[in-house]
Amino acid sequence: MTLNRETMMEPLSIEYGRPHQDGAVLDLFTTWAHRTPDAPALIDGDHAWSYAELDRLADTVADALRVRVRPGDLVGVCLDHSAALVAVTLATAKLGAVHLPLGPRPGERRLQAVAEQLRPACLIGDPALLPTGHQAGDQLKLALPTEGANAAATVIAAFADGSGGSAVEIPKGTHYAVLTSGSTGTPKAVAVGEPALGALLHWYRDLTGLGPGERHSLLIGVAFDPHLQELWATLTSGAALSVAPDAVRWDAGALTDWWREAGITVTVLPTPLAEPVLDRPWPAGLAMRHLTIGGDRLRRAPGPDVTATVHNAYGPAEATVATTVHTMAPGGDHGTAAPPIGLPIPGAVVLVTDEDGRPVPRGQAGELRIGGRGLAAGYLDPELTARRFVGAPEAVEGSDRVYRTGDRVLMRADGVLEFLGRLDDQVKVSGVRIEPAEVEAAFERDERVRRAVVAAAPAAAGGYRLLAFVQAASTELPEAAGLIEAVRPWLPEQAVPSVVRLVDAFPLDANGKVDRAALLAAESLENGVRAEEGATDTERTVLRLSRDLLGRADLGPHDNFLEAGGNSLAAARLLAALEDAYDVRLRAAALLRQPDLRAVARLVDERRTGAGATA
């Protein structure tokens, strides 16, 4: 690397975390199981399991699988938050196998694609939800608890008929693999080793003081890698995991009520759920000491009434969940600007580079690259690994390779990183990283579709929403609703576009590429035509809020909130806005049951009348 005199005089955008400490994973859980066997390890409503009970459950599962699952084999887990999920996670580690969390309902065709391309040794989950190939092969029923809100009635280990082992080369020492969005229409699988996970857990336990007597939520989506942080950090600290009810993922009020009832002291929240919580007055009587937020850009700091320490964490799956953190002490004045993503955690090195991979001076924007202890082994695809995990510049010490994040950042003079956005087309929707090309590939699997282009538009409620522009394969035009239903099995909920538009052709830019900006501009003009207004003040308020939240000026009283593109984040924000406007507390389930927005308004009026009568 050649440095000119001017560059040598300015500090470069390179920052190192404190020296890290290695940490065990499974061995620490086993230690607690022997030291405090009767201490609660998992709480799910009225049901609880001690450390000793979970350890025995995990041994039972491991013994049942040991004949068919070998060390290094890939095990796909299709379970929701439950004792079964925790026991299977522990059992996989006891076998030395590679845990692949897929979530309880990953989508039939998406799961089929993963099964065919990665060929895990087995899939574990509800037999009715597994792919055809695994339903026809050998099945082993596992003796697991059926108690708990999200527990499956039956859990099996299904071995694909004629399976010949994994279709990919799994790096030696891999502890878990996690899927991220991929441009080919199939998600990329990231392989993470135990040393990297162990170092992360040691940092997080030290950050939060997590230990015996504490209660940590089990809330993050199972297929999202911070879920592994909350699960393993708790079980390696002697604390108790508490399973969050489904309702709290939709309703900020229900979430904080549950925190109080369950005595939660430490938690992790995805950014889209954390922001509605921070938008509300901080509830009194919480035991909460530490709240860690991650998954998307945090657009607001905690107010002075927040009594918990709030950590804004940043990190891709390729760097083991968290790489940097910015901590905001309770009761402080943290300003109104978006908080920075902070400084590197122990063992991490971060650098900001130009297009050629050279570190830029501090204060200059560039691409964030990450090195150090927390780096994943790579993808389960050597060619992709070689493109994204590259050699470190000479100026970097202690790390011979770095991961190219594709994120645009700026390093301040004090080493703190500020997040500026993405360098490529990837976007975050409700906290989940989405690659539009993957969504396009899902549409193009449909024989009715010749070509699809997916673009991301800023949503009025913050973040982004996806719009799909589809060119039909014939003159017989399909219905937009039917196209959306066809792609749902291929995609996570956050990647399903809120709007589908049929187009005759695509506008091109000067380079002959599809001009997404022109498509979005045309969409904005179409949305400028207002739909029917409401008949009452409440209907008009519900329409205005829904239009703003969904970015749909064409919504009318007879439109259904979910079918119009509403998701869990939008529902949570609508509930909060209605409570602010009318002092009426609705639950997400009641809102989503309404056939249209007019019925939502009627429900609000009924609750207002009932509250007045009670008063």
Side-chain angles (χ1 to χ4, degrees), residues 279-299:
D279 284 339
R280 303 163 58 93
W282 190 252
L286 295 183
M288 184 71 63
R289 297 188 303 103
H290 288 273
L291 165 60
T292 302
I293 300 170
D296 206 341
R297 185 179 186 180
L298 182 62
R299 292 170 176 80

Side-chain angles (χ1 to χ4, degrees), residues 74-82 84-86 88-89 92 98-115 120 122-131 134-135 142 144 150-158 177 179 221-223 227:
L74 196 62
V75 177
V77 180
C78 307
L79 294 170
D80 207 343
H81 300 110
S82 61
L85 170 69
V86 178
V88 168
T89 303
T92 305
V98 178
H99 177 60
L100 176 65
L102 298 170
R105 290 170 291 278
E108 178 185 354
R109 295 188 178 182
R110 179 182 174 89
L111 184 56
Q112 182 68 45
V114 169
C122 70
L123 291 175
I124 297 177
D126 184 333
L129 300 178
L130 299 182
H134 284 74
Q135 291 177 357
L142 300 176
L144 287 166
N150 306 308
T154 303
V155 177
I156 65 166
L179 301 182
V222 173
H227 154 74

Side-chain angles (χ1 to χ4, degrees), residues 13 61 76 105 119 121 141 145 170 180 232 243 262 307 331 333 341 349 364 368 381 414 474 490 508 552 557 599:
S13 295
V61 174
R105 290 170 291 278
R119 283 216 305 270
K141 184 176 180 180
I170 300 175
T180 68
W232 279 112
V243 175
T307 57
D333 181 6
I341 58 175
V349 54
Q364 181 175 321
L368 175 60
D381 178 340
D414 59 2
S474 68
W490 292 100
L508 304 179
R552 293 281 306 274

Side-chain angles (χ1 to χ4, degrees), residues 501 522-533 547 551-556 559:
R501 300 294 187 213
E523 174 68 15
S524 296
L525 287 175
E526 182 173 339
N527 274 351
V529 179
R530 305 291 292 193
E532 177 189 352
E533 294 297 335
R547 288 166 177 169
R552 293 281 306 274
D554 58 330
L555 288 183
D559 286 313

Side-chain angles (χ1 to χ4, degrees), residues 471-487:
Q471 187 179 31
S474 68
T475 56
E476 186 174 339
L477 300 180
E479 293 185 357
L483 293 175
I484 289 179
E485 289 308 309
V487 301

Side-chain angles (χ1 to χ4, degrees), residues 117-370:
Q117 298 192 33
L118 299 182
R119 283 216 305 270
C122 70
L123 291 175
I124 297 177
D126 184 333
L129 300 178
L130 299 182
T132 305
H134 284 74
Q135 291 177 357
D138 294 340
Q139 296 183 359
L140 174 64
K141 184 176 180 180
L142 300 176
L144 287 166
T146 58
E147 301 92 348
N150 306 308
T154 303
V155 177
I156 65 166
F159 302 86
D161 191 22
S163 174
S166 175
V168 293
E169 182 178 346
I170 300 175
K172 187 177 180 180
T174 299
H175 185 274
Y176 74 84
V178 66
L179 301 182
T180 68
S181 187
S183 61
T184 62
T186 300
K188 301 171 290 189
V190 181
V192 175
E194 183 173 4
L197 177 60
L200 170 85
L201 300 179
H202 189 281
W203 159 76
Y204 183 66
R205 292 191 302 265
D206 186 59
L207 178 77
T208 62
L210 190 60
E214 302 279 344
R215 290 194 178 185
H216 195 300
S217 59
L218 186 61
L219 179 149
I220 301 294
V222 173
F224 192 24
D225 59 324
H227 154 74
L228 295 167
Q229 174 183 314
E230 61 181 1
L231 188 153
W232 279 112
T234 305
L235 295 182
T236 56
S237 71
L241 281 167
S242 188
V243 175
D246 281 342
V248 309
R249 298 183 184 90
W250 296 78
D251 187 333
L255 173 63
T256 55
D257 287 347
W258 175 71
W259 281 349
R260 184 185 297 106
E261 295 162 4
I264 301 299
T265 58
V266 182
T267 193
V268 178
L269 285 185
T271 311
L273 182 53
E275 288 187 328
V277 170
L278 295 180
D279 284 339
R280 303 163 58 93
W282 190 252
L286 295 183
M288 184 71 63
R289 297 188 303 103
H290 288 273
L291 165 60
T292 302
I293 300 170
D296 206 341
R297 185 179 186 180
L298 182 62
R299 292 170 176 80
R300 61 151 300 162
D305 62 331
V306 175
T307 57
T309 299
V310 178
H311 309 280
N312 185 33
Y314 162 89
E318 291 85 349
T320 316
V321 185
T323 301
T324 67
V325 66
H326 176 69
T327 295
M328 293 164 278
D333 181 6
H334 304 292
T336 58
I341 58 175
L343 293 166
I345 69 173
V349 54
V350 295
L351 55 151
V352 186
T353 69
D354 60 18
E355 293 180 355
D356 296 321
R358 295 176 301 212
V360 300
R362 298 195 179 198
Q364 181 175 321
E367 180 184 13
L368 175 60
R369 301 190 183 202
I370 299 170

